[in-house]
Amino acid sequence: MAIGMASFTFNDATVKFVAEHMNMGQVMLVRGSIATILIIALAWHNGMLIPSARPCIE
């Protein structure tokens, strides 16, 4: 939980710092891209991206 709180704080501080130098749309694009990469990496690590032999919907 402490890591989650630290990541939110780091994200907020980074966005506030970068927003001074970039357009807000660009900040949101970069932030969303990084979040997507992290979520895909986490799903891959947990084995959620490997297709199963049995389909979910039968």
Side-chain angles (χ1 to χ4, degrees):
M1 183 157 175
I3 294 172
M5 291 171 43
S7 66
F8 280 119
T9 303
F10 177 74
N11 182 31
D12 186 48
T14 303
V15 167
K16 287 181 180 179
F17 175 73
V18 174
E20 296 176 1
H21 306 288
M22 294 174 66
N23 183 0
M24 198 52 157
Q26 291 174 325
V27 171
M28 290 171 52
L29 176 70
V30 171
R31 181 178 158 207
S33 300
I34 292 171
T36 301
I37 290 169
L38 290 174
I39 290 171
I40 289 172
L42 182 63
W44 178 75
H45 178 71
N46 288 331
M48 297 297 185
L49 296 181
I50 301 170
S52 64
R54 297 175 53 199
C56 295
I57 301 174
E58 296 179 9

